[in-house]
Amino acid sequence: EAQVTQNPRYLITVTGKKLTVTCSQNMNHEYMSWYRQDPGLGLRQIYYSMNVEVTDKGDVPEGYKVSRKEKRNFPLILESPSPNQTSLYFCASKLSGTSGRNEQFFGPGTRLTVL
Amino acid sequence: AQKVTQAQTEISVVEKEDVTLDCVYETRDTTYYLFWYKQPPSGELVFLIRRNSFDEQNEISGRYSWNFQKSTSSFNFTITASQVVDSAVYFCALSVAGGTSYGKLTFGQGTILTVHP
């Protein structure tokens, strides 16, 4: 089954404790991205990756890191989480980043709470 | 830069009523794509539809219909004879063809639809 998986689905942590949210897709997609969803703001892009070893900032990258060492994986790293990073996070992938027409496939979401 | 506005924060209807969710977008690109996603209470994002900027044909899928009007930069979504299972957050989104946006989806703020029995 074609899918995007994220782990963990729920996470409660404390300020400053490094964490990683994993994302994996099995569709051989070139493009992957991370979004955060906050009430009243919709979803906003954090980082994206056009392909292996190619990553760039989205609209709200501060406090986050990513890496793309393999095509299927795109982990989101919070090296020193703060309470303002409490949010619902979605990983997404699409066939190609150079075309706006491709549908994006979203993971199930990770609900993160930083105390 | 692109922008999507969903002016209706929350809508509440009674089952079997028709409801229209508004979406207005801004972009300087001539080629772009518009999307609607549904987010049920379980939290996942469900793709509903994609329209191309060069195809203004309206679309109907069962109880769902979409009205795309380039003249008013709008891409409205109508649910006919709403049901309780339609209760969800609905997002309108925009993507442009390449450029510096590189496949990014620009989302509206979302509209919370509640359908009462």
Side-chain angles (χ1 to χ4, degrees):
Chain A
E1 180 190 354
Q3 59 182 350
V4 178
T5 57
Q6 294 178 229
N7 282 293
R9 294 289 312 280
Y10 303 90
L11 179 59
I12 300 175
T13 188
V14 296
T15 299
K17 186 176 181 181
K18 180 179 179 179
L19 66 93
T20 299
V21 183
T22 64
C23 172
S24 183
Q25 51 93 5
N26 62 1
M27 296 167 277
N28 203 34
H29 284 169
E30 290 184 350
Y31 182 93
M32 297 185 73
S33 63
W34 278 100
Y35 294 83
R36 62 177 287 174
Q37 180 183 349
D38 301 292
L41 297 176
L43 283 80
R44 295 174 293 167
Q45 191 183 56
I46 302 170
Y47 267 95
Y48 67 92
S49 170
M50 297 285 281
N51 214 324
V52 176
E53 303 290 2
V54 182
T55 63
D56 208 346
K57 298 176 181 178
D59 295 325
V60 288
E62 293 75 24
Y64 305 94
K65 284 178 58 177
V66 293
S67 68
R68 187 91 180 273
K69 299 189 188 315
E70 307 163 282
K71 199 171 188 178
R72 62 183 293 131
N73 297 323
F74 190 45
L76 179 69
I77 303 157
L78 285 73
E79 298 216 321
S80 184
S82 62
N84 65 11
Q85 292 179 298
T86 293
S87 188
L88 178 59
Y89 292 86
F90 287 98
C91 180
S93 74
K94 65 199 286 285
L95 186 60
S96 167
T98 55
S99 170
R101 74 182 307 271
N102 304 138
E103 174 196 344
Q104 293 212 23
F105 292 79
F106 284 87
T110 295
R111 188 166 292 281
L112 172 65
T113 301
V114 183
L115 302 174
Chain B
Q2 291 74 42
K3 185 178 180 182
V4 176
T5 302
Q6 295 177 253
Q8 304 148 309
T9 304
E10 291 191 53
I11 300 176
S12 181
V13 299
V14 177
E15 210 167 20
K16 297 183 183 173
E17 280 186 39
D18 298 347
V19 58
T20 295
L21 283 61
D22 297 332
C23 173
V24 174
Y25 62 91
E26 296 176 30
T27 180
R28 292 185 177 180
D29 287 69
T30 54
T31 302
Y32 52 89
Y33 305 88
L34 295 162
F35 302 79
W36 276 95
Y37 285 86
K38 174 182 180 180
Q39 186 177 45
S42 51
E44 74 274 20
L45 286 164
V46 178
F47 167 78
L48 295 178
I49 190 173
R50 179 192 68 218
R51 297 304 284 175
N52 307 325
S53 56
F54 42 86
D55 181 3
E56 282 192 78
Q57 228 175 5
N58 293 329
E59 181 152 340
I60 298 174
S61 176
R63 295 184 297 106
Y64 295 172
S65 63
W66 291 268
N67 180 256
F68 176 28
Q69 290 195 341
K70 287 179 75 170
S71 60
T72 56
S73 298
S74 64
F75 186 44
N76 297 336
F77 173 30
T78 297
I79 302 175
T80 303
S82 60
Q83 300 176 0
V84 173
V85 294
D86 295 326
S87 296
V89 183
Y90 291 87
F91 290 99
C92 181
L94 167 73
S95 180
V96 298
T100 57
S101 294
Y102 290 123
K104 180 180 76 173
L105 277 171
T106 298
F107 284 84
Q109 303 91 321
T111 297
I112 302 171
L113 174 65
T114 304
V115 181
H116 299 281

